[in-house]
Amino acid sequence: MKKYQRLAQQITEQIALGVWQPGDRLPSLREQVASSGISFMTVSHAYQVLEGQGVIVARPQSGYYVAPRPRLAKPAPPAQVVRDEAVDINTYIFDVLQASTNAAVVPFGSAFPDPRLFPLAQLNRSLANVSKTATAMSVIENLPPGNEALRHAIARRYASQGMSISPDEIVITAGALEALNLSLQAVTEPGDWVIVENPCFYGALQALERLRLKALSVATDVQEGIDLTALEEALNTYPVKACWLMTNSQNPLGFTLSPQKKQRLVALLNEHNVTLIEDDVYSELYYGRDKPLPARAFDASGTTLHCSSFSKCLVAGFRIGWVAAGKHARRIQQLQLMSTLSTSSPMQLALVDYLATKRYDTHLRRLRRMLAQRKAQATQTLQRVLPPDVKIHRSDSGYFLWLELPPYLDASVLSERALQHNISIAPGKMFSTSDTWRPFFRFNASWEWNEREIQAVETLARLVREML
Amino acid sequence: MKKYQRLAQQITEQIALGVWQPGDRLPSLREQVASSGISFMTVSHAYQVLEGQGVIVARPQSGYYVAPRPRLAKPAPPAQVVRDEAVDINTYIFDVLQASTNAAVVPFGSAFPDPRLFPLAQLNRSLANVSKTATAMSVIENLPPGNEALRHAIARRYASQGMSISPDEIVITAGALEALNLSLQAVTEPGDWVIVENPCFYGALQALERLRLKALSVATDVQEGIDLTALEEALNTYPVKACWLMTNSQNPLGFTLSPQKKQRLVALLNEHNVTLIEDDVYSELYYGRDKPLPARAFDASGTTLHCSSFSKCLVAGFRIGWVAAGKHARRIQQLQLMSTLSTSSPMQLALVDYLATKRYDTHLRRLRRMLAQRKAQATQTLQRVLPPDVKIHRSDSGYFLWLELPPYLDASVLSERALQHNISIAPGKMFSTSDTWRPFFRFNASWEWNEREIQAVETLARLVREML
């Protein structure tokens, strides 16, 4: 073992033994040199290693501090997200998604709502209209930031919620996933710390891995959402650059943050100069009277990147999303030009045509009603069929249920066994780099409840009982 | 100046003075310690800095060597591509592309061929057909790797050239740009060395910057293409991971490598275990009798990633490309699921419908004829109008001309002045991290030659004369 390694190990042990408590200031480099007799370079190297591991934190002009842990969920593997683990996560997503492409599988693990709830005939009519009106130059008019009429239509929907978003700051993307990825890249450098929820949408974890960012997974409650105290602690101790959150109908838990909490969240992040990347793909899928505002509505500074799409509420196959990027709009366009160049032109035009029919809100009202009905039905069926040890966490929006097996069971084992019976579920492991959610799984409740679905749930119940 | 910096500077000076020649083995760390009396760690640090700067190269189990330079074009800035410089490049691309979206600008700088050469009516008919047949489940059938019928159609086009590419290794992407970006990411880690041509398609430089890769720009001749001797030197000295090349109708130069050269290229790369990422978007735009084979055809190992698209020869706005990814197919799909999720479903279906009409080859024959005619016409007009000091480099494929101003002129200055007269060109600076191509610019010759275009060229000629 080299000198710097020995020193790093020593300090780690001291922290484990409580010699240095979370938040304590460590001896400065010079003090450490003086007391240990080791060279400045070796001490500096050891501190850098510890910092890379997330064990200690550097505060400019102040020194090195022991990283706090207690209220934070276990942070992601230090430095770059460990590649192997990420590949594991990808394999899961792969299996779940590939299972969904097999018509024989009952897709309770799917991330998409039942596409039969979407207005296919009307969308096809819009596609047919585009086929009559598209010109040779359409492609050029639809380059980044994207079709002007579409950006105006989106800006008007913001306006109907009382939000002033200029069409000029909206960039059309290949679904919300591209919007989120571009946003993250626009405001971070490799090695930066980014806050995510624990559990969170797996796409966030994948994006962090892809962009070589460090994850701080902050404890998130199934009903109350992210723990703001833990969040504040993280902000106080790590040089966080961005925070990727879902504020409405969070995936996988389902909660919607209260307006007060959104406000406090934004204030907290602004205070620490941390950019909020808001993933709001389920904003249209509320069950109540009013569409909930995004956190962006509470951000007077214009730094929040608000990402959404039509994929979860109108049409998945078009792959059209957007980001209201505020002052980052130009950077986002540049990044898009580098990676996918632009979003397909006929898809943008077809959406413009559809949105002009004014049928969108009628469709959304029906969609929300159907999803609420189906989720209620799914909850009843699951309660009836599953063993009482399985808890069902239900939220009043979207189409996901969050199911909790007894703590000693592993939902990814259930997932494997269910797939052998042509049933997919989305195990908790997909949504976190920590082990916290091992007994949980996400259940897609958007499907029509027929014999096939009921049988599938009964099979699932039998598999759970076998595991008990 | 610190000790290690002083040592590094010393060695750099010695190399400049010829004390150490390119290819020479430097004193080992231990020898250096012994001769200089400096500590092992300081010497090691100095060598690492020099390695990072590309001044010296480490060969495992052998030692440190002076990096050779003579036949290599100036390598890109060391370590991560310098961000500022890249942003400069992006500003150019931005200006050129934004200029193209303005109908008032004569788009000689555009990367797209004249979209009026594309079969709009027939493509629109296919779009209309899709609007009649798309089902709710289409989206799921078109998830990565993409529509099966489309992958089969692409595989059959490979087969018609005598190449055996399985539909299973083809992944449909959002244009070739996404295919190339995913390919690069699939085979590299940040910090890896990647070989590109000098000059090369600017998208390659942007991708390297985005993925934090180090560029080795290898000298590339306007007629003969990449210098294989320089390439071999680079392969012998740097731990290169991938090589991004255009083998047919290279952008911006226009050359097509001979089959022999493609074969030698592939052999050389295989010998060094370097993955070839082949950008072949202009493969259909040959003027001769036979479609040139890609380098991939000469690669028995199946490691070459062959990327292409329909954007430059059939329809740009659909944003449909692909990569024949060989053994990397699964990794590519995973990366796509993480970034854009999938390619839009109606666009894939519309292409399947169009390709089934068998009109594609008829269209391509007409397109090639038209491009050849227009390029000939552009060449004649430019020869007539431009001062004789301006050289026109012309190739027998595609739609670009490569124009060379006298060596003391800067094409980016011409570009700026031309834009003030509503004329865009693509200055050499866009295509290289080195200064080599300052007096050059790319000229899009795909447009119909009317009064407007002739006047624009005359204005361009006047601006050049003013600069002389």
Side-chain angles (χ1 to χ4, degrees), chain B residues 42 46 65-66 105 151 153 178 218 290 317 340 357 370 373 391 399 414 421 435:
Chain B
T42 305
Y65 292 79
V66 179
V105 167
R151 289 184 288 116
E178 189 187 30
V218 172
D290 293 317
T340 58
T357 63
M370 294 296 295
Q373 278 173 15
K391 279 190 211 149
Y399 49 90
L414 178 62
H421 293 81
D435 233 20

PDB file of all heavy atoms in Angstrom, chain B residues 42 46 65-66 105 151 153 178 218 290 317 340 357 370 373 391 399 414 421 435:
ATOM      1  N   THR B  42       7.988  13.491  -8.381  1.00  0.00           N
ATOM      2  CA  THR B  42       8.045  14.704  -9.204  1.00  0.00           C
ATOM      3  C   THR B  42       8.340  14.357 -10.658  1.00  0.00           C
ATOM      4  O   THR B  42       7.708  14.869 -11.582  1.00  0.00           O
ATOM      5  CB  THR B  42       9.134  15.657  -8.658  1.00  0.00           C
ATOM      6  OG1 THR B  42       8.856  15.900  -7.282  1.00  0.00           O
ATOM      7  CG2 THR B  42       9.140  16.967  -9.410  1.00  0.00           C
ATOM      8  N   ALA B  46       5.875  14.976 -13.867  1.00  0.00           N
ATOM      9  CA  ALA B  46       6.297  15.703 -15.065  1.00  0.00           C
ATOM     10  C   ALA B  46       6.022  14.879 -16.326  1.00  0.00           C
ATOM     11  O   ALA B  46       5.519  15.390 -17.332  1.00  0.00           O
ATOM     12  CB  ALA B  46       7.781  16.048 -14.961  1.00  0.00           C
ATOM     13  N   TYR B  65       8.294   7.558 -24.760  1.00  0.00           N
ATOM     14  CA  TYR B  65       8.878   7.896 -26.051  1.00  0.00           C
ATOM     15  C   TYR B  65       8.420   9.272 -26.485  1.00  0.00           C
ATOM     16  O   TYR B  65       7.304   9.694 -26.156  1.00  0.00           O
ATOM     17  CB  TYR B  65       8.472   6.867 -27.116  1.00  0.00           C
ATOM     18  CG  TYR B  65       9.091   5.518 -26.862  1.00  0.00           C
ATOM     19  CD1 TYR B  65       8.538   4.663 -25.893  1.00  0.00           C
ATOM     20  CD2 TYR B  65      10.224   5.094 -27.547  1.00  0.00           C
ATOM     21  CE1 TYR B  65       9.110   3.433 -25.624  1.00  0.00           C
ATOM     22  CE2 TYR B  65      10.801   3.861 -27.286  1.00  0.00           C
ATOM     23  CZ  TYR B  65      10.230   3.036 -26.323  1.00  0.00           C
ATOM     24  OH  TYR B  65      10.792   1.822 -26.044  1.00  0.00           O
ATOM     25  N   VAL B  66       9.274   9.929 -27.267  1.00  0.00           N
ATOM     26  CA  VAL B  66       8.876  11.215 -27.832  1.00  0.00           C
ATOM     27  C   VAL B  66       7.819  10.957 -28.910  1.00  0.00           C
ATOM     28  O   VAL B  66       8.012  10.112 -29.783  1.00  0.00           O
ATOM     29  CB  VAL B  66      10.083  11.942 -28.448  1.00  0.00           C
ATOM     30  CG1 VAL B  66       9.646  13.265 -29.056  1.00  0.00           C
ATOM     31  CG2 VAL B  66      11.163  12.143 -27.406  1.00  0.00           C
ATOM     32  N   VAL B 105     -31.441  33.945 -47.550  1.00  0.00           N
ATOM     33  CA  VAL B 105     -30.011  33.649 -47.718  1.00  0.00           C
ATOM     34  C   VAL B 105     -29.796  32.570 -48.785  1.00  0.00           C
ATOM     35  O   VAL B 105     -30.506  31.565 -48.812  1.00  0.00           O
ATOM     36  CB  VAL B 105     -29.397  33.201 -46.370  1.00  0.00           C
ATOM     37  CG1 VAL B 105     -28.022  32.589 -46.573  1.00  0.00           C
ATOM     38  CG2 VAL B 105     -29.310  34.395 -45.421  1.00  0.00           C
ATOM     39  N   ARG B 151     -35.452  -2.609 -41.049  1.00  0.00           N
ATOM     40  CA  ARG B 151     -34.122  -3.205 -40.901  1.00  0.00           C
ATOM     41  C   ARG B 151     -33.868  -4.257 -41.977  1.00  0.00           C
ATOM     42  O   ARG B 151     -32.756  -4.386 -42.502  1.00  0.00           O
ATOM     43  CB  ARG B 151     -33.959  -3.784 -39.492  1.00  0.00           C
ATOM     44  CG  ARG B 151     -33.842  -2.672 -38.426  1.00  0.00           C
ATOM     45  CD  ARG B 151     -33.574  -3.190 -37.033  1.00  0.00           C
ATOM     46  NE  ARG B 151     -34.736  -3.835 -36.449  1.00  0.00           N
ATOM     47  CZ  ARG B 151     -34.819  -5.113 -36.123  1.00  0.00           C
ATOM     48  NH1 ARG B 151     -33.762  -5.902 -36.315  1.00  0.00           N
ATOM     49  NH2 ARG B 151     -35.909  -5.615 -35.602  1.00  0.00           N
ATOM     50  N   ALA B 153     -35.219  -4.172 -45.015  1.00  0.00           N
ATOM     51  CA  ALA B 153     -35.019  -3.439 -46.275  1.00  0.00           C
ATOM     52  C   ALA B 153     -33.586  -2.926 -46.374  1.00  0.00           C
ATOM     53  O   ALA B 153     -32.960  -2.993 -47.440  1.00  0.00           O
ATOM     54  CB  ALA B 153     -36.019  -2.284 -46.364  1.00  0.00           C
ATOM     55  N   GLU B 178     -27.065  10.637 -34.873  1.00  0.00           N
ATOM     56  CA  GLU B 178     -27.253   9.865 -33.641  1.00  0.00           C
ATOM     57  C   GLU B 178     -26.509   8.536 -33.740  1.00  0.00           C
ATOM     58  O   GLU B 178     -25.887   8.089 -32.767  1.00  0.00           O
ATOM     59  CB  GLU B 178     -28.735   9.603 -33.342  1.00  0.00           C
ATOM     60  CG  GLU B 178     -28.891   9.006 -31.946  1.00  0.00           C
ATOM     61  CD  GLU B 178     -30.313   8.545 -31.603  1.00  0.00           C
ATOM     62  OE1 GLU B 178     -31.066   8.151 -32.515  1.00  0.00           O
ATOM     63  OE2 GLU B 178     -30.639   8.541 -30.402  1.00  0.00           O
ATOM     64  N   VAL B 218      -5.581  13.411 -38.409  1.00  0.00           N
ATOM     65  CA  VAL B 218      -4.555  12.892 -39.305  1.00  0.00           C
ATOM     66  C   VAL B 218      -4.691  13.558 -40.674  1.00  0.00           C
ATOM     67  O   VAL B 218      -5.809  13.697 -41.206  1.00  0.00           O
ATOM     68  CB  VAL B 218      -4.655  11.358 -39.414  1.00  0.00           C
ATOM     69  CG1 VAL B 218      -3.715  10.834 -40.484  1.00  0.00           C
ATOM     70  CG2 VAL B 218      -4.332  10.723 -38.065  1.00  0.00           C
ATOM     71  N   ASP B 290     -20.988   2.132 -60.522  1.00  0.00           N
ATOM     72  CA  ASP B 290     -21.273   1.244 -59.388  1.00  0.00           C
ATOM     73  C   ASP B 290     -21.184   1.967 -58.062  1.00  0.00           C
ATOM     74  O   ASP B 290     -20.316   2.818 -57.858  1.00  0.00           O
ATOM     75  CB  ASP B 290     -20.271   0.081 -59.380  1.00  0.00           C
ATOM     76  CG  ASP B 290     -20.487  -0.830 -60.578  1.00  0.00           C
ATOM     77  OD1 ASP B 290     -21.656  -1.132 -60.880  1.00  0.00           O
ATOM     78  OD2 ASP B 290     -19.478  -1.188 -61.227  1.00  0.00           O
ATOM     79  N   GLY B 317     -36.136  15.456 -43.409  1.00  0.00           N
ATOM     80  CA  GLY B 317     -37.000  15.790 -42.280  1.00  0.00           C
ATOM     81  C   GLY B 317     -37.464  14.602 -41.455  1.00  0.00           C
ATOM     82  O   GLY B 317     -37.885  14.772 -40.320  1.00  0.00           O
ATOM     83  N   THR B 340     -32.472   8.972 -26.355  1.00  0.00           N
ATOM     84  CA  THR B 340     -33.674   9.454 -27.051  1.00  0.00           C
ATOM     85  C   THR B 340     -34.794   8.424 -27.008  1.00  0.00           C
ATOM     86  O   THR B 340     -35.845   8.635 -27.579  1.00  0.00           O
ATOM     87  CB  THR B 340     -33.377   9.778 -28.526  1.00  0.00           C
ATOM     88  OG1 THR B 340     -32.871   8.595 -29.154  1.00  0.00           O
ATOM     89  CG2 THR B 340     -32.360  10.899 -28.660  1.00  0.00           C
ATOM     90  N   THR B 357     -42.352   0.544 -52.548  1.00  0.00           N
ATOM     91  CA  THR B 357     -42.834   0.940 -53.876  1.00  0.00           C
ATOM     92  C   THR B 357     -41.824   0.666 -54.974  1.00  0.00           C
ATOM     93  O   THR B 357     -42.121   0.784 -56.151  1.00  0.00           O
ATOM     94  CB  THR B 357     -43.141   2.458 -53.934  1.00  0.00           C
ATOM     95  OG1 THR B 357     -41.921   3.180 -53.710  1.00  0.00           O
ATOM     96  CG2 THR B 357     -44.173   2.857 -52.896  1.00  0.00           C
ATOM     97  N   MET B 370     -28.879  14.646 -61.490  1.00  0.00           N
ATOM     98  CA  MET B 370     -29.102  16.075 -61.239  1.00  0.00           C
ATOM     99  C   MET B 370     -27.934  16.697 -60.473  1.00  0.00           C
ATOM    100  O   MET B 370     -27.489  17.803 -60.785  1.00  0.00           O
ATOM    101  CB  MET B 370     -30.385  16.268 -60.416  1.00  0.00           C
ATOM    102  CG  MET B 370     -31.660  15.877 -61.124  1.00  0.00           C
ATOM    103  SD  MET B 370     -31.978  16.919 -62.580  1.00  0.00           S
ATOM    104  CE  MET B 370     -32.239  18.510 -61.781  1.00  0.00           C
ATOM    105  N   GLN B 373     -24.964  17.140 -62.738  1.00  0.00           N
ATOM    106  CA  GLN B 373     -25.185  18.285 -63.636  1.00  0.00           C
ATOM    107  C   GLN B 373     -24.975  19.606 -62.913  1.00  0.00           C
ATOM    108  O   GLN B 373     -24.280  20.495 -63.398  1.00  0.00           O
ATOM    109  CB  GLN B 373     -26.613  18.257 -64.174  1.00  0.00           C
ATOM    110  CG  GLN B 373     -26.823  17.344 -65.355  1.00  0.00           C
ATOM    111  CD  GLN B 373     -28.303  17.249 -65.722  1.00  0.00           C
ATOM    112  OE1 GLN B 373     -29.111  18.059 -65.286  1.00  0.00           O
ATOM    113  NE2 GLN B 373     -28.635  16.243 -66.532  1.00  0.00           N
ATOM    114  N   LYS B 391      -8.659  28.373 -56.172  1.00  0.00           N
ATOM    115  CA  LYS B 391      -8.658  27.016 -56.732  1.00  0.00           C
ATOM    116  C   LYS B 391      -9.957  26.304 -56.415  1.00  0.00           C
ATOM    117  O   LYS B 391     -10.488  26.427 -55.300  1.00  0.00           O
ATOM    118  CB  LYS B 391      -7.501  26.206 -56.153  1.00  0.00           C
ATOM    119  CG  LYS B 391      -6.177  26.469 -56.818  1.00  0.00           C
ATOM    120  CD  LYS B 391      -5.141  25.448 -56.359  1.00  0.00           C
ATOM    121  CE  LYS B 391      -3.758  26.092 -56.366  1.00  0.00           C
ATOM    122  NZ  LYS B 391      -2.871  25.552 -55.350  1.00  0.00           N
ATOM    123  N   TYR B 399     -22.255  16.619 -53.586  1.00  0.00           N
ATOM    124  CA  TYR B 399     -22.671  17.951 -54.033  1.00  0.00           C
ATOM    125  C   TYR B 399     -21.838  19.074 -53.417  1.00  0.00           C
ATOM    126  O   TYR B 399     -22.266  20.211 -53.374  1.00  0.00           O
ATOM    127  CB  TYR B 399     -24.160  18.165 -53.733  1.00  0.00           C
ATOM    128  CG  TYR B 399     -24.574  17.817 -52.315  1.00  0.00           C
ATOM    129  CD1 TYR B 399     -24.538  18.784 -51.318  1.00  0.00           C
ATOM    130  CD2 TYR B 399     -24.992  16.541 -51.975  1.00  0.00           C
ATOM    131  CE1 TYR B 399     -24.906  18.478 -50.024  1.00  0.00           C
ATOM    132  CE2 TYR B 399     -25.357  16.214 -50.681  1.00  0.00           C
ATOM    133  CZ  TYR B 399     -25.315  17.195 -49.715  1.00  0.00           C
ATOM    134  OH  TYR B 399     -25.673  16.886 -48.427  1.00  0.00           O
ATOM    135  N   LEU B 414     -14.283  35.889 -45.168  1.00  0.00           N
ATOM    136  CA  LEU B 414     -15.162  35.909 -46.344  1.00  0.00           C
ATOM    137  C   LEU B 414     -16.577  35.500 -45.957  1.00  0.00           C
ATOM    138  O   LEU B 414     -17.564  36.102 -46.384  1.00  0.00           O
ATOM    139  CB  LEU B 414     -14.611  34.959 -47.422  1.00  0.00           C
ATOM    140  CG  LEU B 414     -15.441  34.836 -48.689  1.00  0.00           C
ATOM    141  CD1 LEU B 414     -15.549  36.174 -49.432  1.00  0.00           C
ATOM    142  CD2 LEU B 414     -14.874  33.771 -49.638  1.00  0.00           C
ATOM    143  N   HIS B 421     -24.271  39.927 -47.099  1.00  0.00           N
ATOM    144  CA  HIS B 421     -24.948  40.020 -48.395  1.00  0.00           C
ATOM    145  C   HIS B 421     -25.914  38.851 -48.600  1.00  0.00           C
ATOM    146  O   HIS B 421     -26.251  38.501 -49.716  1.00  0.00           O
ATOM    147  CB  HIS B 421     -23.916  40.043 -49.531  1.00  0.00           C
ATOM    148  CG  HIS B 421     -23.076  41.278 -49.544  1.00  0.00           C
ATOM    149  ND1 HIS B 421     -21.985  41.446 -48.715  1.00  0.00           N
ATOM    150  CD2 HIS B 421     -23.200  42.430 -50.253  1.00  0.00           C
ATOM    151  CE1 HIS B 421     -21.449  42.636 -48.936  1.00  0.00           C
ATOM    152  NE2 HIS B 421     -22.168  43.253 -49.846  1.00  0.00           N
ATOM    153  N   ASP B 435      -5.235  25.017 -37.823  1.00  0.00           N
ATOM    154  CA  ASP B 435      -5.395  26.222 -38.628  1.00  0.00           C
ATOM    155  C   ASP B 435      -5.228  25.943 -40.117  1.00  0.00           C
ATOM    156  O   ASP B 435      -5.385  26.840 -40.946  1.00  0.00           O
ATOM    157  CB  ASP B 435      -4.338  27.244 -38.180  1.00  0.00           C
ATOM    158  CG  ASP B 435      -4.985  28.553 -37.836  1.00  0.00           C
ATOM    159  OD1 ASP B 435      -6.203  28.559 -37.572  1.00  0.00           O
ATOM    160  OD2 ASP B 435      -4.285  29.577 -37.842  1.00  0.00           O
TER     161      ASP B 435
END
